[in-house]
Amino acid sequence: MKVCIKGKLNHIPQLNDFLDNWNHEMQIGDRLECVAISSHQEFDAIKRRFPLGLGHLFVLLTYFWHEMLPKMKPTRKFYFFLTGERHRTYSRTEILGRLCRAGFKIENEEDINGALHVVVNKRSEPLERNDTCESPILRMKRVGKDGKLIEVYKFRTMHSYSQYLQDYVYEKNKLDHSGKLTNDFRVNVWGRLFRSAWLDELPMLWNVFKGDMKWVGVRPLTQHFFSLYTPEMQQLRTKVRPGMLPPFYYEKKTPMGLDEIQASERRYVEAYLEHPFLTDWRYFWGTVYNILIKSKRSQ
């Protein structure tokens, strides 16, 4: 079965419910085709329509009105009352992420005449909705000590619904030398600034206070990234609590690729299990030195 949604997703009220309803009407493997205008495409069209300064002003106004107001609790109901939720501005990430959350897998996406055309197929029932999809502070499930899932707090540095695109982005881009995804289009402009200054990880101090994490330790991984590790390393790294400052930043030679990252974490965990306090003390000050003097930065 093949379904073509008429009209653009931007003009459909209660879009999540709309996509969930289509999912329930379809069988596994059925295809769905839809069209949306991404914020990037809309902003480009505005800048072409108006002179330079005026175009950028209208972009800012459009971003504030159609993307920020519906995501902030104090203004959300006011925005929906005035617009009927019929002219939303979605980033490319949010468009694809909403489709994946609704249980669809992306087959193809293409920019055609200034619009994003997406073909997906049903792979599962809709996933549970996360109330932090649009929140500035995220609560994310990560693998902690003894393999237990913990909630890690971070400032949002990615577009809304980015967490549902983990597999899709990994298939397209793989990992960089730090163990993160290369050319990750989900990261927004201010997110890159926050990450370079470590500001995105400040809310993790609450995890340290609760005892889920500590100052120094292996990076808290998603279940997807955790599955990429060897069984031996999975077992070893879950013997310790994850930390805010991963061993990657202590190393003089930057680990390149997943194998070297696992070797770096192995050195830390084995040393920590033998001498916990001394190891964390050494790694903490070594990391501080590399950040302040050698200018290593969060990716």
Side-chain angles (χ1 to χ4, degrees):
M1 177 173 131
K2 178 180 176 182
V3 175
C4 295
I5 295 179
K6 296 182 179 179
K8 297 178 176 63
L9 298 184
N10 309 71
H11 305 305
I12 298 176
Q14 303 295 321
L15 180 57
N16 284 335
D17 291 337
F18 176 84
L19 294 175
D20 287 355
N21 291 335
W22 269 114
N23 178 291
H24 296 319
E25 295 292 326
M26 301 170 67
Q27 303 295 322
I28 297 295
D30 286 349
R31 302 175 74 200
L32 180 145
E33 296 184 6
C34 56
V35 179
I37 304 295
S38 71
S39 55
H40 180 77
Q41 292 167 329
E42 182 171 1
F43 297 158
D44 279 350
I46 291 174
K47 285 184 283 188
R48 287 194 300 268
R49 197 177 307 140
F50 298 97
L52 181 62
L54 195 59
H56 282 81
L57 175 61
F58 275 107
V59 165
L60 289 174
L61 291 174
T62 301
Y63 176 80
F64 175 76
W65 181 256
H66 287 301
E67 191 159 349
M68 288 189 65
L69 289 187
K71 289 182 170 63
M72 298 188 295
K73 285 186 178 181
T75 57
R76 186 178 301 164
K77 290 183 179 180
F78 173 71
Y79 172 85
F80 290 157
F81 173 76
L82 291 180
T83 66
E85 201 178 351
R86 294 184 182 279
H87 187 83
R88 294 292 303 274
T89 298
Y90 298 126
S91 66
R92 171 193 171 204
T93 298
E94 184 167 354
I95 294 166
L96 300 179
R98 284 178 180 261
L99 288 164
C100 289
R101 187 221 56 83
F104 296 103
K105 181 178 180 180
I106 302 166
E107 283 188 11
N108 185 54
E109 51 164 321
E110 189 174 1
D111 186 327
I112 302 177
N113 297 325
L116 183 65
H117 291 247
V118 187
V119 179
V120 298
N121 63 71
K122 177 175 176 176
R123 67 174 175 181
S124 69
E125 294 299 310
L127 304 177
E128 182 180 356
R129 299 184 192 181
N130 188 331
D131 60 359
T132 64
C133 280
E134 301 176 6
S135 170
I137 296 182
L138 302 176
R139 299 198 311 270
M140 304 172 294
K141 297 291 186 181
R142 295 291 186 266
V143 179
K145 186 179 180 182
D146 300 323
K148 296 179 180 178
L149 292 181
I150 61 174
E151 280 194 334
V152 171
Y153 299 88
K154 291 185 68 174
F155 284 124
R156 174 181 293 283
T157 58
M158 294 185 174
H159 293 289
S160 302
Y161 290 82
S162 60
Q163 64 268 43
Y164 299 105
L165 293 176
Q166 191 87 8
D167 294 350
Y168 178 67
V169 179
Y170 175 75
E171 290 174 1
K172 291 176 70 70
N173 300 316
K174 305 303 180 183
L175 301 177
D176 66 11
H177 64 270
S178 69
K180 294 188 177 182
L181 291 163
T182 59
N183 303 316
D184 195 342
F185 63 84
R186 300 174 300 167
V187 181
N188 54 40
V189 174
W190 59 86
R192 299 186 190 280
L193 297 175
F194 267 47
R195 289 184 173 196
S196 66
W198 298 81
L199 296 176
D200 62 310
E201 298 184 346
L202 283 179
M204 283 189 187
L205 290 172
W206 178 244
N207 291 102
V208 175
F209 176 78
K210 290 198 307 176
D212 294 332
M213 294 176 58
K214 52 193 183 73
W215 284 103
V216 179
V218 294
R219 188 188 298 276
L221 296 179
T222 64
Q223 290 173 283
H224 172 73
F225 280 156
F226 184 76
S227 69
L228 303 179
Y229 278 57
T230 64
E232 182 184 5
M233 271 305 299
Q234 290 178 8
Q235 184 177 11
L236 183 63
R237 77 190 317 277
T238 53
K239 291 182 179 180
V240 299
R241 284 179 293 161
M244 289 187 64
L245 301 175
F248 165 79
Y249 295 104
Y250 172 81
E251 301 284 355
K252 293 181 180 179
K253 179 181 179 297
T254 301
M256 302 294 289
L258 187 57
D259 290 340
E260 291 190 10
I261 292 171
Q262 291 184 86
S264 172
E265 292 186 351
R266 175 189 293 278
R267 287 191 290 271
Y268 165 77
V269 175
E270 290 178 345
Y272 177 84
L273 293 175
E274 188 172 352
H275 300 291
F277 177 79
L278 290 178
T279 298
D280 275 0
W281 180 265
R282 175 164 54 91
Y283 269 76
F284 176 81
W285 290 111
T287 297
V288 170
Y289 174 81
N290 283 336
I291 292 172
L292 296 182
I293 306 302
K294 299 295 185 179
S295 300
K296 280 199 173 184
R297 291 292 181 265
S298 178
Q299 302 299 312

PDB file of all heavy atoms in Angstrom, residues 65 69 73-84:
ATOM      1  N   TRP A  65       7.974  33.886  15.606  1.00  0.00           N
ATOM      2  CA  TRP A  65       6.526  33.688  15.644  1.00  0.00           C
ATOM      3  C   TRP A  65       6.132  32.230  15.395  1.00  0.00           C
ATOM      4  O   TRP A  65       5.309  31.677  16.130  1.00  0.00           O
ATOM      5  CB  TRP A  65       5.857  34.593  14.614  1.00  0.00           C
ATOM      6  CG  TRP A  65       4.363  34.473  14.596  1.00  0.00           C
ATOM      7  CD1 TRP A  65       3.591  33.834  13.683  1.00  0.00           C
ATOM      8  CD2 TRP A  65       3.466  35.000  15.570  1.00  0.00           C
ATOM      9  NE1 TRP A  65       2.265  33.910  14.003  1.00  0.00           N
ATOM     10  CE2 TRP A  65       2.150  34.635  15.164  1.00  0.00           C
ATOM     11  CE3 TRP A  65       3.624  35.738  16.740  1.00  0.00           C
ATOM     12  CZ2 TRP A  65       1.023  34.993  15.898  1.00  0.00           C
ATOM     13  CZ3 TRP A  65       2.491  36.099  17.473  1.00  0.00           C
ATOM     14  CH2 TRP A  65       1.216  35.722  17.046  1.00  0.00           C
ATOM     15  N   LEU A  69       7.429  30.601  19.525  1.00  0.00           N
ATOM     16  CA  LEU A  69       6.203  30.745  20.317  1.00  0.00           C
ATOM     17  C   LEU A  69       5.474  29.423  20.551  1.00  0.00           C
ATOM     18  O   LEU A  69       5.040  29.158  21.676  1.00  0.00           O
ATOM     19  CB  LEU A  69       5.254  31.764  19.655  1.00  0.00           C
ATOM     20  CG  LEU A  69       5.682  33.232  19.711  1.00  0.00           C
ATOM     21  CD1 LEU A  69       4.565  34.119  19.179  1.00  0.00           C
ATOM     22  CD2 LEU A  69       6.025  33.650  21.141  1.00  0.00           C
ATOM     23  N   LYS A  73       5.897  27.163  26.724  1.00  0.00           N
ATOM     24  CA  LYS A  73       4.647  26.937  27.444  1.00  0.00           C
ATOM     25  C   LYS A  73       3.819  28.204  27.648  1.00  0.00           C
ATOM     26  O   LYS A  73       2.594  28.188  27.473  1.00  0.00           O
ATOM     27  CB  LYS A  73       4.936  26.256  28.780  1.00  0.00           C
ATOM     28  CG  LYS A  73       5.278  24.775  28.656  1.00  0.00           C
ATOM     29  CD  LYS A  73       5.411  24.120  30.016  1.00  0.00           C
ATOM     30  CE  LYS A  73       5.702  22.627  29.880  1.00  0.00           C
ATOM     31  NZ  LYS A  73       5.810  21.963  31.193  1.00  0.00           N
ATOM     32  N   PRO A  74       4.425  29.339  28.039  1.00  0.00           N
ATOM     33  CA  PRO A  74       3.606  30.533  28.287  1.00  0.00           C
ATOM     34  C   PRO A  74       2.898  31.077  27.041  1.00  0.00           C
ATOM     35  O   PRO A  74       1.885  31.764  27.152  1.00  0.00           O
ATOM     36  CB  PRO A  74       4.629  31.553  28.821  1.00  0.00           C
ATOM     37  CG  PRO A  74       5.767  30.743  29.324  1.00  0.00           C
ATOM     38  CD  PRO A  74       5.835  29.564  28.399  1.00  0.00           C
ATOM     39  N   THR A  75       3.419  30.787  25.849  1.00  0.00           N
ATOM     40  CA  THR A  75       2.866  31.368  24.619  1.00  0.00           C
ATOM     41  C   THR A  75       2.228  30.334  23.690  1.00  0.00           C
ATOM     42  O   THR A  75       1.636  30.703  22.686  1.00  0.00           O
ATOM     43  CB  THR A  75       3.975  32.108  23.844  1.00  0.00           C
ATOM     44  OG1 THR A  75       5.058  31.190  23.572  1.00  0.00           O
ATOM     45  CG2 THR A  75       4.520  33.275  24.657  1.00  0.00           C
ATOM     46  N   ARG A  76       2.341  29.071  24.043  1.00  0.00           N
ATOM     47  CA  ARG A  76       1.888  28.008  23.136  1.00  0.00           C
ATOM     48  C   ARG A  76       0.389  28.107  22.837  1.00  0.00           C
ATOM     49  O   ARG A  76      -0.031  28.108  21.674  1.00  0.00           O
ATOM     50  CB  ARG A  76       2.228  26.648  23.746  1.00  0.00           C
ATOM     51  CG  ARG A  76       1.936  25.464  22.839  1.00  0.00           C
ATOM     52  CD  ARG A  76       2.356  24.181  23.525  1.00  0.00           C
ATOM     53  NE  ARG A  76       3.786  24.208  23.842  1.00  0.00           N
ATOM     54  CZ  ARG A  76       4.368  23.379  24.699  1.00  0.00           C
ATOM     55  NH1 ARG A  76       3.635  22.486  25.347  1.00  0.00           N
ATOM     56  NH2 ARG A  76       5.662  23.452  24.911  1.00  0.00           N
ATOM     57  N   LYS A  77      -0.427  28.204  23.892  1.00  0.00           N
ATOM     58  CA  LYS A  77      -1.874  28.253  23.693  1.00  0.00           C
ATOM     59  C   LYS A  77      -2.291  29.511  22.940  1.00  0.00           C
ATOM     60  O   LYS A  77      -3.202  29.475  22.104  1.00  0.00           O
ATOM     61  CB  LYS A  77      -2.595  28.169  25.036  1.00  0.00           C
ATOM     62  CG  LYS A  77      -2.492  26.810  25.714  1.00  0.00           C
ATOM     63  CD  LYS A  77      -3.289  26.779  26.992  1.00  0.00           C
ATOM     64  CE  LYS A  77      -3.204  25.405  27.648  1.00  0.00           C
ATOM     65  NZ  LYS A  77      -3.987  25.355  28.913  1.00  0.00           N
ATOM     66  N   PHE A  78      -1.630  30.626  23.220  1.00  0.00           N
ATOM     67  CA  PHE A  78      -1.924  31.887  22.528  1.00  0.00           C
ATOM     68  C   PHE A  78      -1.643  31.749  21.034  1.00  0.00           C
ATOM     69  O   PHE A  78      -2.453  32.161  20.196  1.00  0.00           O
ATOM     70  CB  PHE A  78      -1.073  33.009  23.135  1.00  0.00           C
ATOM     71  CG  PHE A  78      -1.170  34.314  22.410  1.00  0.00           C
ATOM     72  CD1 PHE A  78      -2.324  35.081  22.474  1.00  0.00           C
ATOM     73  CD2 PHE A  78      -0.094  34.775  21.651  1.00  0.00           C
ATOM     74  CE1 PHE A  78      -2.408  36.289  21.787  1.00  0.00           C
ATOM     75  CE2 PHE A  78      -0.181  35.977  20.962  1.00  0.00           C
ATOM     76  CZ  PHE A  78      -1.341  36.737  21.035  1.00  0.00           C
ATOM     77  N   TYR A  79      -0.508  31.123  20.703  1.00  0.00           N
ATOM     78  CA  TYR A  79      -0.145  30.938  19.299  1.00  0.00           C
ATOM     79  C   TYR A  79      -1.156  30.034  18.589  1.00  0.00           C
ATOM     80  O   TYR A  79      -1.628  30.355  17.491  1.00  0.00           O
ATOM     81  CB  TYR A  79       1.260  30.337  19.201  1.00  0.00           C
ATOM     82  CG  TYR A  79       1.660  29.935  17.797  1.00  0.00           C
ATOM     83  CD1 TYR A  79       2.215  30.862  16.922  1.00  0.00           C
ATOM     84  CD2 TYR A  79       1.451  28.636  17.339  1.00  0.00           C
ATOM     85  CE1 TYR A  79       2.563  30.519  15.632  1.00  0.00           C
ATOM     86  CE2 TYR A  79       1.796  28.276  16.039  1.00  0.00           C
ATOM     87  CZ  TYR A  79       2.346  29.219  15.195  1.00  0.00           C
ATOM     88  OH  TYR A  79       2.675  28.860  13.913  1.00  0.00           O
ATOM     89  N   PHE A  80      -1.508  28.925  19.218  1.00  0.00           N
ATOM     90  CA  PHE A  80      -2.444  27.994  18.592  1.00  0.00           C
ATOM     91  C   PHE A  80      -3.825  28.625  18.431  1.00  0.00           C
ATOM     92  O   PHE A  80      -4.533  28.360  17.456  1.00  0.00           O
ATOM     93  CB  PHE A  80      -2.546  26.713  19.416  1.00  0.00           C
ATOM     94  CG  PHE A  80      -1.309  25.866  19.370  1.00  0.00           C
ATOM     95  CD1 PHE A  80      -1.033  24.954  20.378  1.00  0.00           C
ATOM     96  CD2 PHE A  80      -0.407  25.983  18.328  1.00  0.00           C
ATOM     97  CE1 PHE A  80       0.111  24.169  20.345  1.00  0.00           C
ATOM     98  CE2 PHE A  80       0.743  25.213  18.286  1.00  0.00           C
ATOM     99  CZ  PHE A  80       0.996  24.312  19.294  1.00  0.00           C
ATOM    100  N   PHE A  81      -4.219  29.483  19.383  1.00  0.00           N
ATOM    101  CA  PHE A  81      -5.522  30.159  19.303  1.00  0.00           C
ATOM    102  C   PHE A  81      -5.577  31.079  18.087  1.00  0.00           C
ATOM    103  O   PHE A  81      -6.574  31.138  17.366  1.00  0.00           O
ATOM    104  CB  PHE A  81      -5.778  30.953  20.580  1.00  0.00           C
ATOM    105  CG  PHE A  81      -7.000  31.818  20.523  1.00  0.00           C
ATOM    106  CD1 PHE A  81      -8.266  31.265  20.648  1.00  0.00           C
ATOM    107  CD2 PHE A  81      -6.891  33.198  20.325  1.00  0.00           C
ATOM    108  CE1 PHE A  81      -9.407  32.073  20.589  1.00  0.00           C
ATOM    109  CE2 PHE A  81      -8.013  33.998  20.265  1.00  0.00           C
ATOM    110  CZ  PHE A  81      -9.279  33.435  20.396  1.00  0.00           C
ATOM    111  N   LEU A  82      -4.476  31.805  17.832  1.00  0.00           N
ATOM    112  CA  LEU A  82      -4.454  32.761  16.733  1.00  0.00           C
ATOM    113  C   LEU A  82      -4.262  32.098  15.368  1.00  0.00           C
ATOM    114  O   LEU A  82      -4.835  32.550  14.371  1.00  0.00           O
ATOM    115  CB  LEU A  82      -3.338  33.789  16.951  1.00  0.00           C
ATOM    116  CG  LEU A  82      -3.521  34.772  18.106  1.00  0.00           C
ATOM    117  CD1 LEU A  82      -2.334  35.719  18.185  1.00  0.00           C
ATOM    118  CD2 LEU A  82      -4.818  35.569  17.937  1.00  0.00           C
ATOM    119  N   THR A  83      -3.488  31.044  15.311  1.00  0.00           N
ATOM    120  CA  THR A  83      -3.130  30.446  14.008  1.00  0.00           C
ATOM    121  C   THR A  83      -3.888  29.174  13.687  1.00  0.00           C
ATOM    122  O   THR A  83      -3.900  28.748  12.525  1.00  0.00           O
ATOM    123  CB  THR A  83      -1.627  30.123  13.964  1.00  0.00           C
ATOM    124  OG1 THR A  83      -1.347  29.095  14.930  1.00  0.00           O
ATOM    125  CG2 THR A  83      -0.793  31.353  14.295  1.00  0.00           C
ATOM    126  N   GLY A  84      -4.504  28.556  14.697  1.00  0.00           N
ATOM    127  CA  GLY A  84      -5.133  27.256  14.457  1.00  0.00           C
ATOM    128  C   GLY A  84      -4.108  26.182  14.137  1.00  0.00           C
ATOM    129  O   GLY A  84      -4.456  25.127  13.616  1.00  0.00           O
TER     130      GLY A  84
END
